[in-house]
Amino acid sequence: MSLMLKEIEQQPEVLARTLKEETAKILKFGKFLSSREIHLIVLVARGSSDNAALFGRYLLEITNGIPVSLAASSVHTLYHSRLRMNHTLVVGVSQSGEGTDINWVLRNSKKQGAYTIGITNEGRSSMSKLVDEVFLIRAGKERSVAATKTYTGQLLMFYLLAAALQGGRGVEKLQRIPELAAASLRLKTQVASMVERYRFMNHCIVVGRGLNYANAYELAIKLMETCYIVSERFSSADFLHGPVAMVQQDFPVILFAPPGKTFKDMRKLARQLKGLKAETVVISSEPSVLKWATRSVKVGPRIEDFISPIPYIIPGQLFAAMLAEVKGLSPDKPRLLKKVTQTL
Amino acid sequence: MSLMLKEIEQQPEVLARTLKEETAKILKFGKFLSSREIHLIVLVARGSSDNAALFGRYLLEITNGIPVSLAASSVHTLYHSRLRMNHTLVVGVSQSGEGTDINWVLRNSKKQGAYTIGITNEGRSSMSKLVDEVFLIRAGKERSVAATKTYTGQLLMFYLLAAALQGGRGVEKLQRIPELAAASLRLKTQVASMVERYRFMNHCIVVGRGLNYANAYELAIKLMETCYIVSERFSSADFLHGPVAMVQQDFPVILFAPPGKTFKDMRKLARQLKGLKAETVVISSEPSVLKWATRSVKVGPRIEDFISPIPYIIPGQLFAAMLAEVKGLSPDKPRLLKKVTQTL
């Protein structure tokens, strides 16, 4: 079994451990932060961590009403811009805590008056030493190059941060996450039975929206790095503003369609794709959208939009890991990649 | 000749007219805005206009030091979030001014205390009536579904806005833009001679960075909607954090490599791609990067990074428009698309 599959299966345990060990600390931090009048939250990351940040961007605006910006690292590292950052919280997200550019932006932001925190899996990393406060994903060492348990760990940390910024409101909902993640792992047989069909899939589009938009990015990056599939990622709205023109008979599209705020749009899109004779893989608990799918990943429990991102990415991770093997590739050792990528 | 090609060729004239007719107004507006203590700029758009906003995001942070956020429309339209927006400038960007979701975000932001402006080609649009101040791209009616002259017009408007926010500093540099755009149109023969080679290209990656990052998005969307090519877009840094694993012999990559802040990175990437025997099309004035290219688009004048985005996207637009014809497609009428897309 690949390391990637092993680490995918560790997720319920990692999530439970992180909840247990970090909740009290981050809630206390939320109280401290409320005295600082935060007007803006800036998130800075690369790769899968940047996908987690994209989730954080939606979650924090939705729950807290504080505007969020995803940092453009090169503004700091290449253009040496000095942004006005008082009343700003800057959150660095990095599995290793060693991304040179991420740490550069954190250092620069601190100089400009921001309060900085780090979300990382490595307590002794450069990032951990640099920031004002660290929150640790308790994932244990991640050995596969393809990040899985640290991605969902980062999502969980954003949930905790969002709850902390609201004085702890919503934290009880999060207790269900490890159990929902375990339920998602039981989709393994279902996913295993369908991957062979995609042996010769060379390109695809992944669509998600709102809180599941980040999952579209994350599944696409997994398919790119482990299966070498040219994978685009769009929200259903952006998809209709141009890229939909590419779709014709046989074109593969993967959709995240949990019940909730984004469901109507996703169902409409699934139906439209059926009309175009596209090949769709739909991940959902809802028969009313699955009926339009070429292949269904039927999520067992009916999970509301808000809490769906972690249980919904898991079948995506399983799909990428098992499809890589069907294609004769090792998902743990993508061509040209190392676990820590250094860029400026 | 397609409408798209005709409209591409109108760009020097459109840019000159917009400079002439909008500069004084926007500089005056800049003075007014400086009294309002703007702490955050939020940009909201879809499709090609969203690519222009991505340029604005980099430009405004680099020149003004005010943090910028690209709005997530669904936070407003689906999740009905109320963001705190005092001391915030919200800029809507839309060719038609009729994007339902864009106007929703503008209306919502206004209620939350933001000052709103619109950048549009249509003075009588819903957006124009809604915002506190409108700036018009003087492009004339855009008839091709594939936006070209309104995209560069929007970039120009962001330059003017950036100058206005600095009390007019830098506005003289912009006077060269129409002439540089005209020089880029003279690349038509060079581009025409190479498009046939890409008749059977079905996927590709477009890479740009910093101020040319938006151009990577824009060329990719043009290739998706006019040529039905599955086109990914990355910064050189993000590309190295995963997607590079897809690249092997023959894999097509298009690079924007103007001299300046991002040049070293782009040259390094071009060299690495040459080592992988990928197929590269490099757009640059610099022999030191063009020497690694499979096919070169040799930009005549040596244009510095800051002013390069408009003259550099033009050969990209020409490439998409002419390649569509080589593929037997009409770039003016992409499958399934209308000029104005309504999404929420």
Side-chain angles (χ1 to χ4, degrees):
Chain A
M1 190 157 73
S2 63
L3 292 172
M4 185 180 175
L5 267 177
K6 273 187 203 150
E7 292 176 344
I8 288 171
E9 293 184 356
Q10 290 164 13
Q11 291 177 107
E13 176 199 333
V14 167
L15 294 162
R17 187 162 59 226
T18 305
L19 271 175
K20 185 160 171 262
E21 296 187 13
E22 294 292 310
T23 302
K25 181 182 174 191
I26 200 163
L27 292 185
K28 196 174 155 200
F29 169 74
K31 276 182 202 161
F32 159 77
L33 210 60
S34 66
S35 67
R36 293 186 69 103
E37 286 186 60
I38 297 300
H39 297 163
L40 173 68
I41 300 172
V42 175
L43 310 178
V44 51
R46 289 271 184 215
S48 282
S49 304
D50 204 25
N51 299 339
L54 183 59
F55 166 74
R57 185 244 184 285
Y58 279 78
L59 182 75
L60 291 166
E61 285 200 343
I62 289 169
T63 54
N64 281 281
I66 302 172
V68 179
S69 167
L70 293 168
S73 297
S74 71
V75 165
H76 302 255
T77 60
L78 300 181
Y79 294 94
H80 303 295
S81 194
R82 290 185 188 176
L83 297 187
R84 288 175 233 164
M85 287 199 153
N86 26 16
H87 297 293
T88 301
L89 172 69
V90 179
V91 184
V93 191
S94 169
Q95 178 275 130
S96 67
E98 300 299 344
T100 328
D101 42 6
I102 311 308
N103 289 339
W104 181 312
V105 176
L106 286 166
R107 210 173 287 116
N108 199 21
S109 302
K110 219 169 160 178
K111 270 188 217 155
Q112 301 305 315
Y115 190 88
T116 57
I117 69 177
I119 295 178
T120 175
N121 197 30
E122 299 294 339
R124 292 175 184 187
S125 62
S126 309
M127 179 189 275
S128 300
K129 285 170 202 148
L130 159 68
V131 291
D132 296 304
E133 193 66 74
V134 189
F135 297 100
L136 288 178
I137 300 155
R138 307 284 178 165
K141 188 82 187 162
E142 189 171 60
R143 291 165 63 210
S144 175
V145 169
T148 53
K149 60 180 178 175
T150 55
Y151 172 74
T152 50
Q154 289 160 350
L155 296 197
L156 178 63
M157 209 54 98
F158 275 113
Y159 278 116
L160 287 170
L161 180 61
L165 287 168
Q166 298 177 94
R169 191 142 53 93
V171 82
E172 68 293 340
K173 275 192 192 172
L174 309 180
Q175 307 306 316
R176 280 189 68 205
I177 290 180
E179 157 210 328
L180 292 171
S184 284
L185 286 176
R186 291 194 288 273
L187 295 168
K188 192 175 174 187
T189 327
Q190 210 187 117
V191 175
S193 72
M194 61 191 282
V195 282
E196 198 154 65
R197 181 178 175 90
Y198 301 97
R199 167 65 180 89
F200 292 101
M201 179 168 77
N202 298 318
H203 63 264
C204 73
I205 291 177
V206 191
V207 183
R209 213 184 169 192
L211 291 168
N212 272 279
Y213 183 43
N215 276 348
Y217 272 67
E218 179 57 13
L219 176 51
I221 208 176
K222 290 288 95 78
L223 291 171
M224 287 189 257
E225 61 187 4
T226 67
C227 302
Y228 310 147
I229 293 169
V230 181
S231 310
E232 304 247 23
R233 52 276 185 257
F234 297 105
S235 81
S236 49
D238 287 326
F239 183 53
L240 297 175
H241 278 261
V244 68
M246 295 186 291
V247 176
Q248 56 184 343
Q249 191 161 357
D250 297 337
F251 197 104
V253 185
I254 306 175
L255 294 94
F256 289 98
K261 306 278 186 195
T262 62
F263 184 71
K264 222 176 91 184
D265 272 10
M266 297 302 297
R267 190 180 51 191
K268 196 174 151 193
L269 179 61
R271 189 181 171 165
Q272 190 181 355
L273 291 169
K274 171 80 176 177
L276 294 168
K277 299 195 168 94
E279 165 95 18
T280 54
V281 176
V282 180
I283 304 171
S284 183
S285 57
E286 302 306 294
S288 68
V289 65
L290 293 172
K291 72 176 176 191
W292 303 116
T294 315
R295 284 293 179 272
S296 295
V297 179
K298 172 89 171 75
V299 176
R302 192 167 195 275
I303 308 164
E304 58 154 336
D305 187 42
F306 181 77
I307 214 81
S308 67
I310 292 176
Y312 270 68
I313 192 59
I314 291 174
Q317 295 170 334
L318 290 167
F319 183 82
M322 291 193 275
L323 181 54
E325 292 189 17
V326 163
K327 281 175 173 273
L329 302 167
S330 160
D332 301 325
K333 288 177 186 163
R335 280 193 301 242
L336 307 169
L337 297 183
K338 285 180 279 188
K339 187 68 185 162
V340 181
T341 310
Q342 297 293 9
T343 51
L344 266 193
Chain B
M1 189 157 76
S2 63
L3 292 171
M4 185 182 177
L5 268 177
K6 273 187 203 150
E7 291 175 346
I8 289 171
E9 293 184 355
Q10 290 164 13
Q11 290 177 106
E13 176 199 332
V14 167
L15 294 161
R17 188 164 55 226
T18 304
L19 272 175
K20 187 160 168 261
E21 298 188 11
E22 293 291 310
T23 303
K25 181 182 174 190
I26 201 164
L27 292 185
K28 197 173 152 199
F29 170 74
K31 277 183 201 161
F32 158 77
L33 210 61
S34 66
S35 68
R36 294 186 68 105
E37 289 186 59
I38 297 300
H39 298 163
L40 172 67
I41 300 173
V42 175
L43 310 179
V44 50
R46 288 272 183 216
S48 282
S49 303
D50 203 27
N51 300 338
L54 184 59
F55 166 75
R57 187 243 182 286
Y58 280 79
L59 182 75
L60 290 166
E61 284 199 346
I62 290 168
T63 55
N64 280 281
I66 302 173
V68 178
S69 167
L70 292 169
S73 297
S74 70
V75 167
H76 302 256
T77 60
L78 300 182
Y79 294 94
H80 304 294
S81 194
R82 289 183 188 179
L83 298 186
R84 288 176 233 164
M85 286 200 154
N86 26 15
H87 296 292
T88 301
L89 173 68
V90 179
V91 184
V93 192
S94 169
Q95 180 274 131
S96 67
E98 300 298 344
T100 326
D101 43 6
I102 311 308
N103 289 339
W104 180 313
V105 177
L106 286 166
R107 209 172 290 119
N108 200 21
S109 302
K110 219 169 157 179
K111 269 188 218 155
Q112 300 306 315
Y115 190 88
T116 57
I117 68 177
I119 295 178
T120 175
N121 197 30
E122 299 294 339
R124 294 177 184 185
S125 61
S126 309
M127 179 190 275
S128 300
K129 285 170 204 152
L130 159 68
V131 291
D132 295 305
E133 193 67 74
V134 189
F135 297 101
L136 288 178
I137 300 155
R138 306 284 179 164
K141 189 82 187 162
E142 190 171 58
R143 290 166 63 209
S144 176
V145 168
T148 52
K149 60 181 179 175
T150 54
Y151 172 74
T152 51
Q154 288 160 350
L155 297 197
L156 179 63
M157 208 57 95
F158 275 113
Y159 278 116
L160 287 171
L161 181 61
L165 287 168
Q166 297 177 96
R169 191 143 52 94
V171 82
E172 67 294 338
K173 274 191 191 171
L174 309 181
Q175 306 307 315
R176 281 188 67 206
I177 290 181
E179 157 210 329
L180 291 171
S184 284
L185 286 177
R186 292 194 287 275
L187 296 167
K188 191 176 174 186
T189 328
Q190 213 187 116
V191 175
S193 73
M194 60 192 282
V195 282
E196 198 154 64
R197 181 178 174 90
Y198 300 98
R199 167 63 179 90
F200 291 101
M201 178 167 80
N202 297 319
H203 62 265
C204 73
I205 290 176
V206 192
V207 184
R209 211 183 171 193
L211 291 168
N212 272 277
Y213 182 43
N215 277 348
Y217 272 67
E218 179 57 14
L219 175 51
I221 207 176
K222 290 287 97 78
L223 291 170
M224 287 188 257
E225 60 187 4
T226 68
C227 302
Y228 310 148
I229 294 169
V230 181
S231 308
E232 303 246 25
R233 52 275 184 258
F234 296 106
S235 81
S236 50
D238 288 324
F239 184 55
L240 297 174
H241 279 261
V244 69
M246 293 185 292
V247 176
Q248 56 183 345
Q249 191 161 355
D250 299 337
F251 197 103
V253 186
I254 306 175
L255 295 95
F256 289 98
K261 306 280 186 193
T262 63
F263 184 72
K264 222 175 92 183
D265 273 8
M266 296 303 297
R267 189 180 53 193
K268 196 173 152 196
L269 178 60
R271 189 181 172 165
Q272 191 182 352
L273 291 169
K274 170 83 177 174
L276 295 168
K277 300 198 168 91
E279 164 94 18
T280 54
V281 176
V282 181
I283 304 172
S284 183
S285 57
E286 303 305 293
S288 68
V289 65
L290 292 173
K291 73 175 176 192
W292 303 115
T294 315
R295 285 292 179 273
S296 295
V297 179
K298 173 89 170 76
V299 176
R302 191 167 195 277
I303 308 165
E304 59 152 337
D305 187 42
F306 181 76
I307 214 81
S308 67
I310 292 176
Y312 270 68
I313 192 58
I314 291 174
Q317 295 170 332
L318 290 167
F319 184 81
M322 291 193 277
L323 180 55
E325 292 189 17
V326 163
K327 282 175 172 271
L329 302 166
S330 160
D332 301 325
K333 287 174 188 164
R335 277 192 304 242
L336 308 170
L337 296 183
K338 284 180 278 186
K339 186 67 186 162
V340 181
T341 310
Q342 298 294 9
T343 51
L344 265 195

